[in-house]
Amino acid sequence: MISIRQRKGIRSTEVSEEYAAQEENVKLENKLPSGCTSRRLWKILSFTIGGTIALCIGLLTSVYLATLHENDLWFSNIKEVEREISFRTECGLYYSYYKQMLQAPTLMQGFHGLIYDNKTESMRTINLLQRMNIYQEVFLSVLYRVLPIQKYLEPVYFYIYTLFGLQAIYVTALYVTSWLLSGTWLSGLLAAFWYITNRIDTTRVEFTIPLRENWALPFFAVQIAAITYFLRPKLQPLSERLTLLAIFISTFLFSLTWQFNQFMMLMQALVLFTLDSLDMLPAVKATWLYGIQITGLLLVCILQFFNSMILGSLLISFNLSVLIARKLQKNLKSGSFLTRLGKLLLHLFVVFCLTLFLNNIIKKILNLKSDEHIFKFLKAKFGFGATRDFDANLYLCEEAFGLLPFNTFERLSDTLLFHAYIFVLFITVIAALTVAIHNLRMKYLWTSHMCVFASFGLCSPEIWELLLKLFHLYNPKRICIMRYLVPILILLYLGYKFWPGMMDELSELREFYDPDTVELMNWINSNTPRKAVFAGSMQLLAGVKLCTGRTLTNHPHYEDDSLRARTKAVYQIYAKRSPEEVHTLLRSFGADYVILEDSICYERRHRRGCRLRDLLDVANGHVMDGPGENDPDLKFAGHPRFCEEIKRNLPPYTAYFTRVFENKTFHVYKLSRNK
């Protein structure tokens, strides 16, 4: 989000030229189409048309994504167990709590089952409302039970339609943000088109519906739109209060629905701090935004039964440090250039030190270790030393946390989004640096939405004014022509290039097909006790919880130190360990059955060093399989790989494990009760 502030201290000749140009701009803007005699009427008409288009394109996006989901899985025709299996990995875990609430005899029993849960982690009773961000599932289940829709809409459709409906809010919010920044709804239309044509890189909601990000990002987009409006100068008091309310509600909902909210809002707070320190934001407005972030997180902390990960977040420590440092340095923005620069550097140092001090104190008091795996991952990710930590390497080897593949830039270039983004970014960075050097200021407001940024820049009169002046082609009429002509041409290009492909995509029909997993879930339901405890990969166990209701040893919600240790212990089934050791580990968690997957045991999807068995070997100090280098201190294991050797049915293994089910993908073994 960018706006350009007029410089102070310009020569009088320049002032007169600028004034004349501004007058001409005003005259152009005041010209009305034939038949219209009121500028106010024209604004109302433009607002009505733009608002209608925003709502329509939001709804169309929602329908488009829902249709893709239906066409890809034939969701309306497959069995209930297949629908549930389609919610893979942690998606299935989250949806299982929605299902659990609906199956509870009463709402109170449903809440009690979530607060005192003993099926998600065996031999433990945990508070799911404290541990996980599942209030959205609770809210939807209550809503479904209260509303008279049970006869007309199945629970699963009520759930997925809600998520697709949120996508309508998401696109509409991006549209409005771009409109607010550029002053024309044409910019919002371009942002929405870019979002849709770059769907592969902007959303994954159609195949990972219950993911927390799909709940949270629409509220984050609404928050950014509200902040964009709030930072406008000369707002009416009522408008300002209503906007602050919108910011608070969207910030609260964003924080409530996603456990990683604090990291995104920390980036937001850092940008606000930069703008505030350089005197580019009114101090009062900056204080309001800091306060809303803190209040929103603390309210979520209360609802999550004082979740320690929230209290120990860097965001709370940083925002408190900023507010404290501001009280200590009241005259930060006064004095000469060098004086202000010195005060600014001191201010940065105070905030940095105070943030680290407060965060460490809070974590020491709370004995907080829930997020240490994230910092280990970041340390290794940015090259501050290699790590053998199993949890950090598990993140490093996932594609979702890797570097952007080169074909991402190719796809973004095909829609002209990347070109427009670089063009606008270059112009605005140059302008911002020029203003900052001249007045110790910076007029660049961060936004995570690439589509919004590029579309706003192409429709911004300030951007075109800077560019045309750079090439000595400045003319107010040319600005008006360029800011409307360029986005219209891009919209025509997008329609011409991508409309046929979108129609083909909507007409392509597929069907869900995973017979091995369906067979496994049906076997578990029919042949194991309801209280049986299952061990295996955390991705598969989430599906076991949803489809069968059996108790798990571990699961994909990884934000707990003891659960990470438990998962590493369970995963020794894919390491080079003796049957006695594996049996002892699994029984220590109360496991009755263990599920082995060939896709993990013989994995080829990842390169050597990133396969799960490689991560376990390195963490255990063992040499990895296959040709390639190994660290010199790694040693050869004293036992073969458990998941391979157990299939030979040798006596040392059959004494502890009995195979009770197998198909082409899965092998289930029952653990003996005694050694």
Side-chain angles (χ1 to χ4, degrees), residues 54-83:
L55 295 175
C56 289
I57 202 164
L59 290 173
L60 286 173
T61 302
S62 176
V63 172
Y64 172 61
L65 293 172
T67 305
L68 290 178
H69 175 259
E70 169 63 25
N71 291 356
D72 195 46
L73 300 176
W74 204 3
F75 200 75
S76 60
N77 191 63
I78 59 179
K79 299 175 183 177
E80 187 67 20
V81 66
E82 293 175 311
R83 290 176 178 175

PDB file of all heavy atoms in Angstrom, residues 54-83:
ATOM      1  N   ALA A  54     -17.937  -5.823  -7.123  1.00  0.00           N
ATOM      2  CA  ALA A  54     -17.170  -6.467  -6.046  1.00  0.00           C
ATOM      3  C   ALA A  54     -17.928  -7.672  -5.486  1.00  0.00           C
ATOM      4  O   ALA A  54     -17.360  -8.758  -5.319  1.00  0.00           O
ATOM      5  CB  ALA A  54     -16.883  -5.461  -4.935  1.00  0.00           C
ATOM      6  N   LEU A  55     -19.210  -7.480  -5.192  1.00  0.00           N
ATOM      7  CA  LEU A  55     -20.009  -8.585  -4.653  1.00  0.00           C
ATOM      8  C   LEU A  55     -20.158  -9.718  -5.667  1.00  0.00           C
ATOM      9  O   LEU A  55     -20.041 -10.901  -5.320  1.00  0.00           O
ATOM     10  CB  LEU A  55     -21.391  -8.069  -4.236  1.00  0.00           C
ATOM     11  CG  LEU A  55     -21.418  -7.072  -3.070  1.00  0.00           C
ATOM     12  CD1 LEU A  55     -22.838  -6.556  -2.839  1.00  0.00           C
ATOM     13  CD2 LEU A  55     -20.897  -7.735  -1.797  1.00  0.00           C
ATOM     14  N   CYS A  56     -20.396  -9.361  -6.908  1.00  0.00           N
ATOM     15  CA  CYS A  56     -20.592 -10.377  -7.948  1.00  0.00           C
ATOM     16  C   CYS A  56     -19.325 -11.193  -8.183  1.00  0.00           C
ATOM     17  O   CYS A  56     -19.380 -12.426  -8.278  1.00  0.00           O
ATOM     18  CB  CYS A  56     -21.037  -9.711  -9.255  1.00  0.00           C
ATOM     19  SG  CYS A  56     -22.722  -9.070  -9.214  1.00  0.00           S
ATOM     20  N   ILE A  57     -18.184 -10.509  -8.265  1.00  0.00           N
ATOM     21  CA  ILE A  57     -16.951 -11.253  -8.552  1.00  0.00           C
ATOM     22  C   ILE A  57     -16.536 -12.092  -7.349  1.00  0.00           C
ATOM     23  O   ILE A  57     -15.951 -13.174  -7.502  1.00  0.00           O
ATOM     24  CB  ILE A  57     -15.824 -10.290  -8.992  1.00  0.00           C
ATOM     25  CG1 ILE A  57     -14.776 -11.066  -9.796  1.00  0.00           C
ATOM     26  CG2 ILE A  57     -15.168  -9.579  -7.806  1.00  0.00           C
ATOM     27  CD1 ILE A  57     -13.846 -10.194 -10.585  1.00  0.00           C
ATOM     28  N   GLY A  58     -16.864 -11.636  -6.126  1.00  0.00           N
ATOM     29  CA  GLY A  58     -16.605 -12.454  -4.949  1.00  0.00           C
ATOM     30  C   GLY A  58     -17.434 -13.731  -4.965  1.00  0.00           C
ATOM     31  O   GLY A  58     -16.921 -14.831  -4.736  1.00  0.00           O
ATOM     32  N   LEU A  59     -18.725 -13.595  -5.268  1.00  0.00           N
ATOM     33  CA  LEU A  59     -19.612 -14.760  -5.329  1.00  0.00           C
ATOM     34  C   LEU A  59     -19.211 -15.697  -6.464  1.00  0.00           C
ATOM     35  O   LEU A  59     -19.235 -16.923  -6.311  1.00  0.00           O
ATOM     36  CB  LEU A  59     -21.060 -14.299  -5.509  1.00  0.00           C
ATOM     37  CG  LEU A  59     -21.697 -13.604  -4.288  1.00  0.00           C
ATOM     38  CD1 LEU A  59     -23.061 -13.044  -4.653  1.00  0.00           C
ATOM     39  CD2 LEU A  59     -21.820 -14.578  -3.127  1.00  0.00           C
ATOM     40  N   LEU A  60     -18.850 -15.132  -7.612  1.00  0.00           N
ATOM     41  CA  LEU A  60     -18.432 -15.962  -8.744  1.00  0.00           C
ATOM     42  C   LEU A  60     -17.169 -16.753  -8.423  1.00  0.00           C
ATOM     43  O   LEU A  60     -17.039 -17.918  -8.818  1.00  0.00           O
ATOM     44  CB  LEU A  60     -18.215 -15.086  -9.982  1.00  0.00           C
ATOM     45  CG  LEU A  60     -19.482 -14.575 -10.670  1.00  0.00           C
ATOM     46  CD1 LEU A  60     -19.131 -13.575 -11.772  1.00  0.00           C
ATOM     47  CD2 LEU A  60     -20.296 -15.722 -11.241  1.00  0.00           C
ATOM     48  N   THR A  61     -16.246 -16.128  -7.708  1.00  0.00           N
ATOM     49  CA  THR A  61     -15.033 -16.843  -7.297  1.00  0.00           C
ATOM     50  C   THR A  61     -15.372 -18.007  -6.388  1.00  0.00           C
ATOM     51  O   THR A  61     -14.836 -19.112  -6.519  1.00  0.00           O
ATOM     52  CB  THR A  61     -14.067 -15.880  -6.573  1.00  0.00           C
ATOM     53  OG1 THR A  61     -13.749 -14.785  -7.424  1.00  0.00           O
ATOM     54  CG2 THR A  61     -12.785 -16.601  -6.178  1.00  0.00           C
ATOM     55  N   SER A  62     -16.288 -17.764  -5.444  1.00  0.00           N
ATOM     56  CA  SER A  62     -16.712 -18.822  -4.528  1.00  0.00           C
ATOM     57  C   SER A  62     -17.340 -19.990  -5.282  1.00  0.00           C
ATOM     58  O   SER A  62     -17.005 -21.158  -5.052  1.00  0.00           O
ATOM     59  CB  SER A  62     -17.719 -18.251  -3.520  1.00  0.00           C
ATOM     60  OG  SER A  62     -18.220 -19.256  -2.680  1.00  0.00           O
ATOM     61  N   VAL A  63     -18.239 -19.692  -6.223  1.00  0.00           N
ATOM     62  CA  VAL A  63     -18.893 -20.735  -7.019  1.00  0.00           C
ATOM     63  C   VAL A  63     -17.877 -21.457  -7.892  1.00  0.00           C
ATOM     64  O   VAL A  63     -17.932 -22.690  -8.051  1.00  0.00           O
ATOM     65  CB  VAL A  63     -20.013 -20.113  -7.883  1.00  0.00           C
ATOM     66  CG1 VAL A  63     -20.583 -21.141  -8.855  1.00  0.00           C
ATOM     67  CG2 VAL A  63     -21.122 -19.555  -6.995  1.00  0.00           C
ATOM     68  N   TYR A  64     -16.948 -20.711  -8.461  1.00  0.00           N
ATOM     69  CA  TYR A  64     -15.906 -21.297  -9.320  1.00  0.00           C
ATOM     70  C   TYR A  64     -15.073 -22.317  -8.544  1.00  0.00           C
ATOM     71  O   TYR A  64     -14.846 -23.446  -9.009  1.00  0.00           O
ATOM     72  CB  TYR A  64     -15.034 -20.167  -9.854  1.00  0.00           C
ATOM     73  CG  TYR A  64     -13.793 -20.594 -10.598  1.00  0.00           C
ATOM     74  CD1 TYR A  64     -13.876 -21.357 -11.755  1.00  0.00           C
ATOM     75  CD2 TYR A  64     -12.530 -20.217 -10.146  1.00  0.00           C
ATOM     76  CE1 TYR A  64     -12.730 -21.732 -12.447  1.00  0.00           C
ATOM     77  CE2 TYR A  64     -11.385 -20.586 -10.824  1.00  0.00           C
ATOM     78  CZ  TYR A  64     -11.492 -21.343 -11.977  1.00  0.00           C
ATOM     79  OH  TYR A  64     -10.353 -21.715 -12.651  1.00  0.00           O
ATOM     80  N   LEU A  65     -14.624 -21.962  -7.344  1.00  0.00           N
ATOM     81  CA  LEU A  65     -13.798 -22.874  -6.546  1.00  0.00           C
ATOM     82  C   LEU A  65     -14.605 -24.081  -6.065  1.00  0.00           C
ATOM     83  O   LEU A  65     -14.093 -25.212  -6.037  1.00  0.00           O
ATOM     84  CB  LEU A  65     -13.210 -22.116  -5.349  1.00  0.00           C
ATOM     85  CG  LEU A  65     -12.188 -21.029  -5.690  1.00  0.00           C
ATOM     86  CD1 LEU A  65     -11.831 -20.222  -4.445  1.00  0.00           C
ATOM     87  CD2 LEU A  65     -10.928 -21.636  -6.295  1.00  0.00           C
ATOM     88  N   ALA A  66     -15.862 -23.856  -5.683  1.00  0.00           N
ATOM     89  CA  ALA A  66     -16.711 -24.971  -5.254  1.00  0.00           C
ATOM     90  C   ALA A  66     -16.962 -25.943  -6.409  1.00  0.00           C
ATOM     91  O   ALA A  66     -16.974 -27.166  -6.212  1.00  0.00           O
ATOM     92  CB  ALA A  66     -18.042 -24.436  -4.720  1.00  0.00           C
ATOM     93  N   THR A  67     -17.131 -25.414  -7.617  1.00  0.00           N
ATOM     94  CA  THR A  67     -17.340 -26.264  -8.793  1.00  0.00           C
ATOM     95  C   THR A  67     -16.094 -27.074  -9.104  1.00  0.00           C
ATOM     96  O   THR A  67     -16.184 -28.268  -9.445  1.00  0.00           O
ATOM     97  CB  THR A  67     -17.737 -25.405 -10.004  1.00  0.00           C
ATOM     98  OG1 THR A  67     -18.875 -24.609  -9.677  1.00  0.00           O
ATOM     99  CG2 THR A  67     -18.075 -26.280 -11.205  1.00  0.00           C
ATOM    100  N   LEU A  68     -14.926 -26.455  -8.989  1.00  0.00           N
ATOM    101  CA  LEU A  68     -13.677 -27.190  -9.214  1.00  0.00           C
ATOM    102  C   LEU A  68     -13.534 -28.336  -8.222  1.00  0.00           C
ATOM    103  O   LEU A  68     -13.105 -29.440  -8.579  1.00  0.00           O
ATOM    104  CB  LEU A  68     -12.479 -26.240  -9.098  1.00  0.00           C
ATOM    105  CG  LEU A  68     -12.300 -25.211 -10.209  1.00  0.00           C
ATOM    106  CD1 LEU A  68     -11.090 -24.330  -9.909  1.00  0.00           C
ATOM    107  CD2 LEU A  68     -12.115 -25.880 -11.567  1.00  0.00           C
ATOM    108  N   HIS A  69     -13.893 -28.075  -6.974  1.00  0.00           N
ATOM    109  CA  HIS A  69     -13.820 -29.114  -5.944  1.00  0.00           C
ATOM    110  C   HIS A  69     -14.754 -30.275  -6.266  1.00  0.00           C
ATOM    111  O   HIS A  69     -14.381 -31.450  -6.170  1.00  0.00           O
ATOM    112  CB  HIS A  69     -14.167 -28.501  -4.583  1.00  0.00           C
ATOM    113  CG  HIS A  69     -14.244 -29.493  -3.474  1.00  0.00           C
ATOM    114  ND1 HIS A  69     -15.460 -29.977  -3.003  1.00  0.00           N
ATOM    115  CD2 HIS A  69     -13.290 -30.129  -2.741  1.00  0.00           C
ATOM    116  CE1 HIS A  69     -15.243 -30.835  -2.033  1.00  0.00           C
ATOM    117  NE2 HIS A  69     -13.934 -30.954  -1.848  1.00  0.00           N
ATOM    118  N   GLU A  70     -15.973 -29.956  -6.671  1.00  0.00           N
ATOM    119  CA  GLU A  70     -16.944 -30.989  -7.031  1.00  0.00           C
ATOM    120  C   GLU A  70     -16.485 -31.778  -8.257  1.00  0.00           C
ATOM    121  O   GLU A  70     -16.552 -33.013  -8.285  1.00  0.00           O
ATOM    122  CB  GLU A  70     -18.308 -30.335  -7.292  1.00  0.00           C
ATOM    123  CG  GLU A  70     -19.353 -31.240  -7.930  1.00  0.00           C
ATOM    124  CD  GLU A  70     -19.740 -32.425  -7.064  1.00  0.00           C
ATOM    125  OE1 GLU A  70     -19.594 -32.341  -5.826  1.00  0.00           O
ATOM    126  OE2 GLU A  70     -20.187 -33.436  -7.626  1.00  0.00           O
ATOM    127  N   ASN A  71     -16.002 -31.082  -9.272  1.00  0.00           N
ATOM    128  CA  ASN A  71     -15.573 -31.750 -10.503  1.00  0.00           C
ATOM    129  C   ASN A  71     -14.350 -32.628 -10.288  1.00  0.00           C
ATOM    130  O   ASN A  71     -14.187 -33.653 -10.952  1.00  0.00           O
ATOM    131  CB  ASN A  71     -15.263 -30.716 -11.585  1.00  0.00           C
ATOM    132  CG  ASN A  71     -16.511 -30.014 -12.085  1.00  0.00           C
ATOM    133  OD1 ASN A  71     -17.622 -30.341 -11.682  1.00  0.00           O
ATOM    134  ND2 ASN A  71     -16.338 -29.052 -12.970  1.00  0.00           N
ATOM    135  N   ASP A  72     -13.497 -32.216  -9.367  1.00  0.00           N
ATOM    136  CA  ASP A  72     -12.258 -32.962  -9.149  1.00  0.00           C
ATOM    137  C   ASP A  72     -12.498 -34.259  -8.384  1.00  0.00           C
ATOM    138  O   ASP A  72     -11.828 -35.263  -8.628  1.00  0.00           O
ATOM    139  CB  ASP A  72     -11.261 -32.080  -8.389  1.00  0.00           C
ATOM    140  CG  ASP A  72      -9.857 -32.639  -8.446  1.00  0.00           C
ATOM    141  OD1 ASP A  72      -9.409 -33.032  -9.535  1.00  0.00           O
ATOM    142  OD2 ASP A  72      -9.199 -32.709  -7.389  1.00  0.00           O
ATOM    143  N   LEU A  73     -13.449 -34.259  -7.456  1.00  0.00           N
ATOM    144  CA  LEU A  73     -13.671 -35.424  -6.586  1.00  0.00           C
ATOM    145  C   LEU A  73     -15.001 -36.137  -6.834  1.00  0.00           C
ATOM    146  O   LEU A  73     -15.184 -37.254  -6.355  1.00  0.00           O
ATOM    147  CB  LEU A  73     -13.625 -34.988  -5.111  1.00  0.00           C
ATOM    148  CG  LEU A  73     -12.329 -34.357  -4.607  1.00  0.00           C
ATOM    149  CD1 LEU A  73     -12.503 -33.904  -3.167  1.00  0.00           C
ATOM    150  CD2 LEU A  73     -11.166 -35.330  -4.712  1.00  0.00           C
ATOM    151  N   TRP A  74     -15.913 -35.484  -7.590  1.00  0.00           N
ATOM    152  CA  TRP A  74     -17.295 -35.951  -7.679  1.00  0.00           C
ATOM    153  C   TRP A  74     -17.840 -36.120  -6.262  1.00  0.00           C
ATOM    154  O   TRP A  74     -18.382 -37.135  -5.864  1.00  0.00           O
ATOM    155  CB  TRP A  74     -17.391 -37.253  -8.454  1.00  0.00           C
ATOM    156  CG  TRP A  74     -18.757 -37.474  -9.052  1.00  0.00           C
ATOM    157  CD1 TRP A  74     -19.841 -36.628  -9.003  1.00  0.00           C
ATOM    158  CD2 TRP A  74     -19.202 -38.622  -9.779  1.00  0.00           C
ATOM    159  NE1 TRP A  74     -20.913 -37.164  -9.653  1.00  0.00           N
ATOM    160  CE2 TRP A  74     -20.562 -38.398 -10.142  1.00  0.00           C
ATOM    161  CE3 TRP A  74     -18.604 -39.816 -10.155  1.00  0.00           C
ATOM    162  CZ2 TRP A  74     -21.303 -39.318 -10.866  1.00  0.00           C
ATOM    163  CZ3 TRP A  74     -19.354 -40.730 -10.875  1.00  0.00           C
ATOM    164  CH2 TRP A  74     -20.679 -40.484 -11.226  1.00  0.00           C
ATOM    165  N   PHE A  75     -17.665 -35.047  -5.490  1.00  0.00           N
ATOM    166  CA  PHE A  75     -17.916 -35.067  -4.054  1.00  0.00           C
ATOM    167  C   PHE A  75     -19.359 -35.455  -3.726  1.00  0.00           C
ATOM    168  O   PHE A  75     -19.628 -36.110  -2.712  1.00  0.00           O
ATOM    169  CB  PHE A  75     -17.594 -33.691  -3.467  1.00  0.00           C
ATOM    170  CG  PHE A  75     -17.345 -33.687  -1.990  1.00  0.00           C
ATOM    171  CD1 PHE A  75     -16.160 -34.171  -1.463  1.00  0.00           C
ATOM    172  CD2 PHE A  75     -18.296 -33.194  -1.116  1.00  0.00           C
ATOM    173  CE1 PHE A  75     -15.923 -34.161  -0.093  1.00  0.00           C
ATOM    174  CE2 PHE A  75     -18.073 -33.179   0.253  1.00  0.00           C
ATOM    175  CZ  PHE A  75     -16.882 -33.670   0.756  1.00  0.00           C
ATOM    176  N   SER A  76     -20.286 -35.057  -4.571  1.00  0.00           N
ATOM    177  CA  SER A  76     -21.700 -35.330  -4.300  1.00  0.00           C
ATOM    178  C   SER A  76     -22.061 -36.797  -4.493  1.00  0.00           C
ATOM    179  O   SER A  76     -23.114 -37.243  -4.022  1.00  0.00           O
ATOM    180  CB  SER A  76     -22.577 -34.466  -5.219  1.00  0.00           C
ATOM    181  OG  SER A  76     -22.291 -34.757  -6.586  1.00  0.00           O
ATOM    182  N   ASN A  77     -21.196 -37.557  -5.157  1.00  0.00           N
ATOM    183  CA  ASN A  77     -21.544 -38.932  -5.505  1.00  0.00           C
ATOM    184  C   ASN A  77     -20.792 -39.991  -4.690  1.00  0.00           C
ATOM    185  O   ASN A  77     -21.207 -41.139  -4.630  1.00  0.00           O
ATOM    186  CB  ASN A  77     -21.282 -39.163  -6.995  1.00  0.00           C
ATOM    187  CG  ASN A  77     -21.855 -40.468  -7.502  1.00  0.00           C
ATOM    188  OD1 ASN A  77     -23.065 -40.681  -7.478  1.00  0.00           O
ATOM    189  ND2 ASN A  77     -20.985 -41.373  -7.945  1.00  0.00           N
ATOM    190  N   ILE A  78     -19.679 -39.605  -4.065  1.00  0.00           N
ATOM    191  CA  ILE A  78     -18.858 -40.593  -3.361  1.00  0.00           C
ATOM    192  C   ILE A  78     -19.417 -40.866  -1.969  1.00  0.00           C
ATOM    193  O   ILE A  78     -20.236 -40.111  -1.444  1.00  0.00           O
ATOM    194  CB  ILE A  78     -17.386 -40.124  -3.270  1.00  0.00           C
ATOM    195  CG1 ILE A  78     -17.283 -38.777  -2.539  1.00  0.00           C
ATOM    196  CG2 ILE A  78     -16.762 -40.035  -4.651  1.00  0.00           C
ATOM    197  CD1 ILE A  78     -15.854 -38.267  -2.385  1.00  0.00           C
ATOM    198  N   LYS A  79     -18.963 -41.967  -1.359  1.00  0.00           N
ATOM    199  CA  LYS A  79     -19.432 -42.369  -0.043  1.00  0.00           C
ATOM    200  C   LYS A  79     -18.913 -41.420   1.040  1.00  0.00           C
ATOM    201  O   LYS A  79     -17.941 -40.701   0.837  1.00  0.00           O
ATOM    202  CB  LYS A  79     -18.982 -43.800   0.262  1.00  0.00           C
ATOM    203  CG  LYS A  79     -19.514 -44.842  -0.714  1.00  0.00           C
ATOM    204  CD  LYS A  79     -18.921 -46.202  -0.406  1.00  0.00           C
ATOM    205  CE  LYS A  79     -19.386 -47.255  -1.409  1.00  0.00           C
ATOM    206  NZ  LYS A  79     -18.764 -48.572  -1.169  1.00  0.00           N
ATOM    207  N   GLU A  80     -19.553 -41.484   2.193  1.00  0.00           N
ATOM    208  CA  GLU A  80     -19.166 -40.608   3.306  1.00  0.00           C
ATOM    209  C   GLU A  80     -17.725 -40.846   3.729  1.00  0.00           C
ATOM    210  O   GLU A  80     -16.983 -39.899   4.004  1.00  0.00           O
ATOM    211  CB  GLU A  80     -20.106 -40.827   4.491  1.00  0.00           C
ATOM    212  CG  GLU A  80     -19.903 -39.860   5.650  1.00  0.00           C
ATOM    213  CD  GLU A  80     -20.266 -38.425   5.296  1.00  0.00           C
ATOM    214  OE1 GLU A  80     -21.019 -38.209   4.325  1.00  0.00           O
ATOM    215  OE2 GLU A  80     -19.788 -37.518   5.991  1.00  0.00           O
ATOM    216  N   VAL A  81     -17.282 -42.102   3.783  1.00  0.00           N
ATOM    217  CA  VAL A  81     -15.908 -42.392   4.183  1.00  0.00           C
ATOM    218  C   VAL A  81     -14.922 -41.826   3.161  1.00  0.00           C
ATOM    219  O   VAL A  81     -13.839 -41.355   3.533  1.00  0.00           O
ATOM    220  CB  VAL A  81     -15.695 -43.915   4.377  1.00  0.00           C
ATOM    221  CG1 VAL A  81     -15.832 -44.669   3.046  1.00  0.00           C
ATOM    222  CG2 VAL A  81     -14.335 -44.196   4.998  1.00  0.00           C
ATOM    223  N   GLU A  82     -15.292 -41.823   1.898  1.00  0.00           N
ATOM    224  CA  GLU A  82     -14.417 -41.249   0.869  1.00  0.00           C
ATOM    225  C   GLU A  82     -14.356 -39.730   0.986  1.00  0.00           C
ATOM    226  O   GLU A  82     -13.307 -39.116   0.770  1.00  0.00           O
ATOM    227  CB  GLU A  82     -14.911 -41.668  -0.517  1.00  0.00           C
ATOM    228  CG  GLU A  82     -14.760 -43.159  -0.792  1.00  0.00           C
ATOM    229  CD  GLU A  82     -15.365 -43.571  -2.117  1.00  0.00           C
ATOM    230  OE1 GLU A  82     -16.529 -43.202  -2.381  1.00  0.00           O
ATOM    231  OE2 GLU A  82     -14.677 -44.245  -2.904  1.00  0.00           O
ATOM    232  N   ARG A  83     -15.485 -39.128   1.315  1.00  0.00           N
ATOM    233  CA  ARG A  83     -15.484 -37.677   1.541  1.00  0.00           C
ATOM    234  C   ARG A  83     -14.545 -37.313   2.688  1.00  0.00           C
ATOM    235  O   ARG A  83     -13.788 -36.339   2.613  1.00  0.00           O
ATOM    236  CB  ARG A  83     -16.900 -37.201   1.871  1.00  0.00           C
ATOM    237  CG  ARG A  83     -17.874 -37.237   0.707  1.00  0.00           C
ATOM    238  CD  ARG A  83     -19.260 -36.831   1.172  1.00  0.00           C
ATOM    239  NE  ARG A  83     -20.220 -36.808   0.075  1.00  0.00           N
ATOM    240  CZ  ARG A  83     -21.520 -36.574   0.217  1.00  0.00           C
ATOM    241  NH1 ARG A  83     -22.007 -36.339   1.441  1.00  0.00           N
ATOM    242  NH2 ARG A  83     -22.320 -36.563  -0.823  1.00  0.00           N
TER     243      ARG A  83
END
